[in-house]
PDB file of all heavy atoms in Angstrom:
ATOM      1  N   ALA N  38     -16.673  39.710  40.029  1.00 97.00           N
ATOM      2  CA  ALA N  38     -16.211  38.420  40.665  1.00 97.00           C
ATOM      3  C   ALA N  38     -15.139  38.649  41.655  1.00 97.00           C
ATOM      4  O   ALA N  38     -15.080  38.023  42.670  1.00 97.00           O
ATOM      5  CB  ALA N  38     -15.694  37.503  39.508  1.00 97.00           C
ATOM      6  N   GLN N  39     -14.397  39.815  41.381  1.00 96.00           N
ATOM      7  CA  GLN N  39     -13.331  40.119  42.364  1.00 96.00           C
ATOM      8  C   GLN N  39     -13.930  40.441  43.852  1.00 96.00           C
ATOM      9  O   GLN N  39     -13.281  40.353  44.742  1.00 96.00           O
ATOM     10  CB  GLN N  39     -12.697  41.472  41.923  1.00 96.00           C
ATOM     11  CG  GLN N  39     -11.733  41.231  40.919  1.00 96.00           C
ATOM     12  CD  GLN N  39     -11.068  42.591  40.276  1.00 96.00           C
ATOM     13  OE1 GLN N  39     -11.235  43.571  40.981  1.00 96.00           O
ATOM     14  NE2 GLN N  39     -10.508  42.503  39.148  1.00 96.00           N
ATOM     15  N   GLY N  40     -15.218  40.796  43.913  1.00 96.00           N
ATOM     16  CA  GLY N  40     -15.842  41.083  45.149  1.00 96.00           C
ATOM     17  C   GLY N  40     -16.025  39.872  46.010  1.00 96.00           C
ATOM     18  O   GLY N  40     -16.370  39.970  47.238  1.00 96.00           O
ATOM     19  N   PHE N  41     -16.037  38.734  45.473  1.00 96.00           N
ATOM     20  CA  PHE N  41     -16.444  37.550  46.238  1.00 96.00           C
ATOM     21  C   PHE N  41     -15.500  36.367  46.094  1.00 96.00           C
ATOM     22  O   PHE N  41     -15.660  35.276  46.818  1.00 96.00           O
ATOM     23  CB  PHE N  41     -17.933  37.113  46.037  1.00 96.00           C
ATOM     24  CG  PHE N  41     -18.220  36.612  44.720  1.00 96.00           C
ATOM     25  CD1 PHE N  41     -18.116  35.399  44.262  1.00 96.00           C
ATOM     26  CD2 PHE N  41     -18.717  37.619  43.777  1.00 96.00           C
ATOM     27  CE1 PHE N  41     -18.502  34.972  42.922  1.00 96.00           C
ATOM     28  CE2 PHE N  41     -19.117  37.212  42.456  1.00 96.00           C
ATOM     29  CZ  PHE N  41     -18.930  35.838  41.985  1.00 96.00           C
ATOM     30  N   CYS N  42     -14.606  36.383  45.193  1.00 97.00           N
ATOM     31  CA  CYS N  42     -13.562  35.270  45.080  1.00 97.00           C
ATOM     32  C   CYS N  42     -12.361  35.657  44.531  1.00 97.00           C
ATOM     33  O   CYS N  42     -12.137  36.736  43.770  1.00 97.00           O
ATOM     34  CB  CYS N  42     -14.056  34.102  44.211  1.00 97.00           C
ATOM     35  SG  CYS N  42     -14.660  34.570  42.649  1.00 97.00           S
ATOM     36  N   GLN N  43     -11.275  34.837  44.828  1.00 98.00           N
ATOM     37  CA  GLN N  43      -9.940  35.014  44.132  1.00 98.00           C
ATOM     38  C   GLN N  43      -9.807  33.981  43.142  1.00 98.00           C
ATOM     39  O   GLN N  43      -9.978  32.853  43.407  1.00 98.00           O
ATOM     40  CB  GLN N  43      -8.928  34.687  45.258  1.00 98.00           C
ATOM     41  CG  GLN N  43      -8.294  35.896  45.815  1.00 98.00           C
ATOM     42  CD  GLN N  43      -7.319  35.486  46.837  1.00 98.00           C
ATOM     43  OE1 GLN N  43      -6.892  34.327  47.038  1.00 98.00           O
ATOM     44  NE2 GLN N  43      -6.638  36.423  47.518  1.00 98.00           N
ATOM     45  N   VAL N  44      -9.510  34.416  41.865  1.00 98.00           N
ATOM     46  CA  VAL N  44      -9.529  33.469  40.702  1.00 98.00           C
ATOM     47  C   VAL N  44      -8.161  33.445  40.116  1.00 98.00           C
ATOM     48  O   VAL N  44      -7.527  34.349  39.809  1.00 98.00           O
ATOM     49  CB  VAL N  44     -10.551  33.883  39.649  1.00 98.00           C
ATOM     50  CG1 VAL N  44     -10.666  32.888  38.641  1.00 98.00           C
ATOM     51  CG2 VAL N  44     -11.995  34.076  40.215  1.00 98.00           C
ATOM     52  N   GLU N  45      -7.718  32.220  39.836  1.00 98.00           N
ATOM     53  CA  GLU N  45      -6.550  31.949  39.050  1.00 98.00           C
ATOM     54  C   GLU N  45      -7.100  31.290  37.786  1.00 98.00           C
ATOM     55  O   GLU N  45      -8.125  30.654  37.774  1.00 98.00           O
ATOM     56  CB  GLU N  45      -5.589  31.126  39.753  1.00 98.00           C
ATOM     57  CG  GLU N  45      -4.807  31.828  40.737  1.00 98.00           C
ATOM     58  CD  GLU N  45      -3.551  30.947  41.359  1.00 98.00           C
ATOM     59  OE1 GLU N  45      -3.089  30.098  40.689  1.00 98.00           O
ATOM     60  OE2 GLU N  45      -3.308  31.080  42.509  1.00 98.00           O
ATOM     61  N   THR N  46      -6.297  31.543  36.685  1.00 98.00           N
ATOM     62  CA  THR N  46      -6.851  30.969  35.349  1.00 98.00           C
ATOM     63  C   THR N  46      -5.850  29.996  34.719  1.00 98.00           C
ATOM     64  O   THR N  46      -4.562  30.138  35.013  1.00 98.00           O
ATOM     65  CB  THR N  46      -7.051  32.222  34.427  1.00 98.00           C
ATOM     66  OG1 THR N  46      -5.898  32.820  34.231  1.00 98.00           O
ATOM     67  CG2 THR N  46      -8.088  33.138  34.882  1.00 98.00           C
ATOM     68  N   LEU N  47      -6.474  29.226  33.876  1.00 98.00           N
ATOM     69  CA  LEU N  47      -5.490  28.178  33.268  1.00 98.00           C
ATOM     70  C   LEU N  47      -6.271  27.858  31.947  1.00 98.00           C
ATOM     71  O   LEU N  47      -7.441  27.562  31.885  1.00 98.00           O
ATOM     72  CB  LEU N  47      -5.538  26.916  34.267  1.00 98.00           C
ATOM     73  CG  LEU N  47      -4.627  25.721  33.838  1.00 98.00           C
ATOM     74  CD1 LEU N  47      -4.307  24.953  35.180  1.00 98.00           C
ATOM     75  CD2 LEU N  47      -5.117  24.784  32.822  1.00 98.00           C
ATOM     76  N   GLN N  48      -5.495  27.920  30.861  1.00 98.00           N
ATOM     77  CA  GLN N  48      -5.904  27.560  29.510  1.00 98.00           C
ATOM     78  C   GLN N  48      -5.644  26.069  29.197  1.00 98.00           C
ATOM     79  O   GLN N  48      -4.470  25.778  28.959  1.00 98.00           O
ATOM     80  CB  GLN N  48      -5.246  28.375  28.508  1.00 98.00           C
ATOM     81  CG  GLN N  48      -5.768  28.283  26.998  1.00 98.00           C
ATOM     82  CD  GLN N  48      -6.930  29.165  26.673  1.00 98.00           C
ATOM     83  OE1 GLN N  48      -6.628  30.450  26.737  1.00 98.00           O
ATOM     84  NE2 GLN N  48      -8.089  28.744  26.185  1.00 98.00           N
ATOM     85  N   ALA N  49      -6.540  25.242  29.445  1.00 98.00           N
ATOM     86  CA  ALA N  49      -6.311  23.732  29.234  1.00 98.00           C
ATOM     87  C   ALA N  49      -6.433  23.477  27.696  1.00 98.00           C
ATOM     88  O   ALA N  49      -5.600  22.599  27.224  1.00 98.00           O
ATOM     89  CB  ALA N  49      -7.366  22.909  29.960  1.00 98.00           C
ATOM     90  N   LEU N  50      -7.331  23.983  27.074  1.00 98.00           N
ATOM     91  CA  LEU N  50      -7.519  23.912  25.553  1.00 98.00           C
ATOM     92  C   LEU N  50      -8.007  25.205  25.062  1.00 98.00           C
ATOM     93  O   LEU N  50      -8.502  26.005  25.741  1.00 98.00           O
ATOM     94  CB  LEU N  50      -8.642  22.739  25.402  1.00 98.00           C
ATOM     95  CG  LEU N  50      -8.385  21.272  26.096  1.00 98.00           C
ATOM     96  CD1 LEU N  50      -9.833  20.539  26.182  1.00 98.00           C
ATOM     97  CD2 LEU N  50      -7.404  20.604  25.300  1.00 98.00           C
ATOM     98  N   ASN N  51      -8.151  25.092  23.564  1.00 97.00           N
ATOM     99  CA  ASN N  51      -8.833  26.232  23.025  1.00 97.00           C
ATOM    100  C   ASN N  51      -9.487  25.805  21.748  1.00 97.00           C
ATOM    101  O   ASN N  51      -9.100  26.063  20.693  1.00 97.00           O
ATOM    102  CB  ASN N  51      -7.768  27.361  22.701  1.00 97.00           C
ATOM    103  CG  ASN N  51      -8.495  28.758  22.726  1.00 97.00           C
ATOM    104  OD1 ASN N  51      -9.578  28.846  23.224  1.00 97.00           O
ATOM    105  ND2 ASN N  51      -7.852  29.778  22.218  1.00 97.00           N
TER     106      ASN N  51
END
Side-chain angles (χ1 to χ4, degrees):
Q39 284 175 14
F41 62 88
C42 58
Q43 265 184 354
V44 185
E45 282 185 35
T46 60
L47 190 155
Q48 181 98 55
L50 303 163
N51 207 12

